Amino acid sequence: MNYSENKVMKAFEIYTNLAREGQVGSDFLSLYIADEDIRGLVDGFVHQVDCVVIIAGELLYMIPKTKLSPFHVNNDYIKRMYLKSGATNADIYLMYFSTIVLFGAFYDSYQTLEATRDFLSIDDWVRLVHDRINMLKEHDEEQLQKLEHDFSYNWTQIIEKWEDMNDIKESAKKQSGNTISRLSFMDTTKRFLISQELIEEIGNNEVTLTEKAKTIVQRFFMEVEYNKGILEFIYQWEEEEEHAID
């Protein structure tokens, strides 16, 4: 297909702004929506760097689709920018796990496309992570090793990292599982998610999902192709409990 030079340059301008800022505003968004040729060109440019384009609210975003993308936020960057010195991959695994739990908390199940709650308190977030890790602990070592192979997640290190934060000498426990160390870690995870424009603080130690996060969840997070069944695995106990009650 032949495109006019003007359309190619307009599309490339949108792409370069996406590459530089990660998002563009309403002017570029309107052009992207209105012109099929420009939209196709932008999508093609973005595809070449293993990214996808999403529309959320009044903004157009470019997000990495795979770890191969040069725009993917890698583990070393997260350690350097957000975690304490000496952080290991276990910190990253726990951060990812906590993020999955946070997203899941806003939906009735891993297959629900629309958010069913408006906000989540940090204390509740910690409690939910604690509950999910306790469920992981119900598996023996052999089962966990198999699950690690199935999902490419190091469940053992996630459990150990969380348990290491449970210092019985800490006197500021608020609820089950809520020690100073755990709350501090969740605050770090919160700051990372805010920087990625996935959550917003709304006061009273509560957060809410952004439109960007909701769009990502709807388009990718609920699809087994992308989440590899991890959400179904994490929330399977919840569904079993609901069926038992019924």
Side-chain angles (χ1 to χ4, degrees), residues 91-197:
D91 294 273
I92 302 292
Y93 300 147
L94 182 57
M95 182 179 282
Y96 289 160
F97 181 80
S98 301
T99 299
I100 292 174
V101 172
L102 180 139
F103 283 168
F106 281 88
Y107 297 82
D108 274 344
S109 75
Y110 62 88
Q111 292 178 329
T112 304
L113 293 181
E114 297 296 331
T116 54
R117 76 156 74 197
D118 295 324
F119 59 86
L120 180 71
S121 72
I122 303 303
D123 281 348
D124 282 344
W125 186 13
V126 176
R127 178 181 56 78
L128 289 170
V129 170
H130 188 66
D131 290 346
R132 299 301 164 197
I133 287 179
N134 278 340
M135 291 174 179
L136 282 176
K137 288 164 60 179
E138 293 179 7
H139 296 82
D140 59 35
E141 185 176 349
E142 184 177 343
Q143 289 174 317
L144 281 176
Q145 289 177 352
K146 182 180 183 304
L147 291 169
E148 287 173 4
H149 179 269
D150 291 344
F151 297 108
S152 300
Y153 256 63
N154 198 317
W155 303 114
T156 301
Q157 287 193 26
I158 289 171
I159 293 170
E160 290 175 351
K161 189 66 184 181
W162 189 255
E163 290 298 297
D164 286 346
M165 295 178 187
N166 186 21
D167 187 345
I168 59 174
K169 296 179 181 178
E170 296 188 70
S171 60
K173 288 188 178 182
K174 294 184 178 180
Q175 304 175 18
S176 174
N178 286 25
T179 63
I180 296 173
S181 295
R182 288 172 177 169
L183 288 168
S184 176
F185 182 85
M186 301 307 277
D187 184 69
T188 298
T189 305
K190 178 190 72 175
R191 287 189 290 105
F192 169 71
L193 294 175
I194 289 173
S195 75
Q196 299 300 307
E197 299 182 30

Side-chain angles (χ1 to χ4, degrees), residues 50-68:
D50 285 315
C51 290
V52 294
V53 171
I54 65 168
I55 299 171
E58 298 297 319
L59 296 174
L60 185 69
Y61 291 94
M62 184 175 79
I63 59 174
K65 187 177 181 181
T66 72
K67 291 183 178 179
L68 299 176

